[in-house]
Amino acid sequence: MNDIAADPSHPRYKSLLLRHLLEQAAEKGMLAASALIAHGRGEAFDYLLGEQTTPSALIATQQAAARLMSAKRPVISLNGNVVALAGREMLLVANALGCPVEINIFYRTPERMTALLNHLEDIKQELNIDVEILGANPDARIPGLEGPRANCTNKGIFSSDVILVPLEDGDRCEALVAMGKFVIVVDLNPLSRSAIMGNLTIVDELTRFAVNLFAAIGEDYELQDIDNDALLSDAHAQIATNATKR
Ligand code: PTJ
């Protein structure tokens, strides 16, 4: 690890650490070429949100936990950035829920799939947990999408009723909603198509969300009717307040 990323007293320590995790993942061949651009866009929105979980994002996270716990066939969809930044927490959540995770990447290559599977298997061994990792052998397709990004597994994404899709592409999010699934999105950009298309959108940084979600699993949060537009409006208002503060 470089010196700055290793120094917790640095004011930008958390941000540098996440960048460093992505650098390491890129070296292992886990990431899409545009992964760092996507992360940079997220960072920009996180600045505007104040780099902390808003009260409304925390409530949305607790609702995500309640939805996942009450689902018949929950699944967590993982892409390169998510595995790199929060693979460990996502596996812990899946273990607590007793559900599979599915690697479902936008820029699909066999080499990336292998690198991501190996990384998750290493975490599983380290944690000594038994979570099913799907995605290596897709046998179903998401209707309405072209090309490899439609690939999924019948056992996982295809037959799920509630799906957690952090940092999802807007088209695929829309296609999953059209399949009748309850789609939980995590995206720092409240203006993104995924954020708007999802049934429940958590506008928060992925690693903060992952810690909060794990803490909420097993708690007794009552399922509420979700007004996703109101959650997005809260995020817009937070950004507007922060942007006009100085
Ligand atoms: O691994 P792959 O092939 O599936 O590709 C993954 C990426 C993320 C590269 C791909 O899905 C992509 O290009 O995504 P987009 O369309 O750039 O969207 C990423 C969204 O995630 C943007 O709206 C960012 O604001 C948001 N984002 C980025 N980093 C974070 C984030 N949201 C929460 N936490 C983050 N750390």
Side-chain angles (χ1 to χ4, degrees):
M1 189 179 290
N2 65 50
D3 288 349
I4 295 177
D7 174 9
S9 69
H10 191 282
R12 304 293 310 155
Y13 172 67
K14 177 84 197 289
S15 160
L16 294 168
L17 194 63
L18 296 190
R19 289 180 177 190
H20 185 68
L21 286 177
L22 289 172
E23 283 167 16
Q24 283 180 319
E27 277 165 24
K28 286 186 178 176
M30 288 160 50
L31 298 187
S34 58
L36 296 174
I37 297 172
H39 185 75
R41 179 156 57 187
E43 280 190 342
F45 278 99
D46 206 18
Y47 254 91
L48 292 167
L49 284 158
E51 294 183 304
Q52 54 189 344
T53 302
T54 63
S56 109
L58 185 59
I59 291 170
T61 302
Q62 291 162 350
Q63 282 300 303
R67 288 277 164 179
L68 287 164
M69 282 190 289
S70 65
K72 286 194 177 69
R73 295 184 67 98
V75 69
I76 303 176
S77 175
L78 302 177
N79 66 23
N81 289 46
V82 178
V83 172
L85 296 176
R88 183 187 167 87
E89 290 72 17
M90 289 295 126
L91 285 176
L92 284 169
V93 169
N95 185 51
L97 290 168
C99 78
V101 299
E102 180 162 337
I103 301 177
N104 195 255
I105 53 180
F106 190 80
Y107 302 102
R108 192 181 177 107
T109 65
E111 293 78 15
R112 282 191 65 207
M113 287 301 292
T114 303
L116 290 165
L117 281 164
N118 289 344
H119 186 75
L120 289 175
E121 287 296 342
D122 286 350
I123 299 174
K124 259 175 67 176
Q125 277 202 359
E126 187 200 314
L127 295 172
N128 195 21
I129 54 174
D130 187 22
V131 173
E132 189 169 15
I133 301 173
L134 302 169
N137 301 301
D139 56 0
R141 289 182 65 79
I142 302 169
L145 291 180
E146 299 293 325
R149 70 202 175 105
N151 290 343
C152 68
T153 71
N154 192 27
K155 195 173 181 191
I157 289 178
F158 193 82
S159 53
S160 64
D161 56 345
V162 176
I163 178 167
L164 170 61
V165 282
L167 280 60
E168 184 55 289
D169 150 67
D171 261 14
R172 198 157 54 188
C173 180
E174 188 171 0
L176 291 168
V177 173
M179 286 174 83
K181 301 180 187 310
F182 188 89
V183 180
I184 304 171
V185 169
V186 183
D187 197 322
L188 278 160
N189 176 4
L191 300 165
S192 77
R193 281 191 60 235
S194 308
I196 294 165
M197 291 309 310
N199 299 103
L200 169 60
T201 300
I202 295 99
V203 183
D204 199 5
E205 197 283 318
L206 171 71
T207 62
R208 291 196 303 266
F209 160 79
V211 170
N212 291 336
L213 179 69
F214 185 54
I217 298 287
E219 297 293 327
D220 196 14
Y221 294 108
E222 203 176 311
L223 273 184
Q224 293 168 10
D225 283 339
I226 290 151
D227 183 349
N228 208 45
D229 287 344
L231 290 172
L232 298 179
S233 295
D234 280 348
H236 297 157
Q238 186 69 50
I239 288 172
T241 304
N242 289 346
T244 51
K245 239 188 220 164
R246 350 184 141 206

